[in-house]
Amino acid sequence: MGYADCCFYCGETQVFCFELDHPVTCKLDRLFKRTVCRNCHRKLEANRDLKKLTKNGLHDVAESDDEQLRRYLLLMAEDQDSIADVLLSPIASPRLTADTLRSAAASIRRKALSLPRLNSPPTSDAALEYDGTGCA
């Protein structure tokens, strides 16, 4: 993917303004990150804090696996909403949006593969294919 040349959210191009954002926090997926400007990073963090989705610097707070998964999914939903907002803006870049969506998809795959398998019969790939009705 290479180095980012602008903030995903506002298009800022000054490299000195860039920071790494961890949309689902570093604890929940250290590999899922994107480059944003400091201003957008503060707004994103404040929004997550107000929704009580982050720990506000408290790194040793105990969370059950279910609580971590719930928080991960809520943070991922927030991230998807923020991507949708960018798509509706005049600065939307198809390349950056595609890269951002692929990064989010990779995080979801990592999370799914980290979960224990349920005691259910295996699902065939055919059952997961798109059926043309909007449901898989």
Side-chain angles (χ1 to χ4, degrees):
M1 187 159 56
Y3 294 104
D5 55 6
C6 69
C7 173
F8 174 72
Y9 294 99
C10 72
E12 172 66 60
T13 59
Q14 274 296 327
V15 175
F16 301 110
C17 295
F18 292 167
E19 295 182 346
L20 281 180
D21 179 41
H22 292 87
V24 296
T25 75
C26 194
K27 180 179 180 180
L28 298 177
D29 187 348
R30 66 180 176 78
L31 299 177
F32 183 31
K33 54 194 168 199
R34 78 176 56 106
T35 301
V36 298
C37 73
R38 290 177 179 173
N39 200 35
C40 289
H41 195 209
R42 298 305 181 276
K43 291 175 186 178
L44 292 164
E45 286 293 321
N47 185 45
R48 293 175 198 141
D49 289 348
L50 289 172
K51 293 181 178 183
K52 304 210 183 299
L53 296 174
T54 56
K55 301 295 179 187
N56 292 317
L58 303 174
H59 299 289
D60 295 328
V61 176
E63 270 185 310
S64 70
D65 289 345
D66 286 346
E67 289 170 328
Q68 283 187 11
L69 181 58
R70 179 180 186 278
R71 192 162 63 96
Y72 172 85
L73 292 171
L74 289 170
L75 284 163
M76 188 59 76
E78 284 297 313
D79 187 58
Q80 295 298 294
D81 282 339
S82 74
I83 294 168
D85 291 342
V86 170
L87 280 171
L88 295 174
S89 76
I91 63 115
S93 159
R95 180 189 58 82
L96 279 178
T97 303
D99 289 347
T100 298
L101 290 171
R102 286 187 182 107
S103 179
S107 178
I108 293 168
R109 280 188 206 94
R110 282 190 297 276
K111 183 57 72 177
L113 292 172
S114 75
L115 297 173
R117 294 189 68 106
L118 299 176
N119 293 329
S120 59
T123 305
S124 72
D125 288 342
L128 297 175
E129 290 180 17
Y130 179 68
D131 65 4
T133 64
C135 299

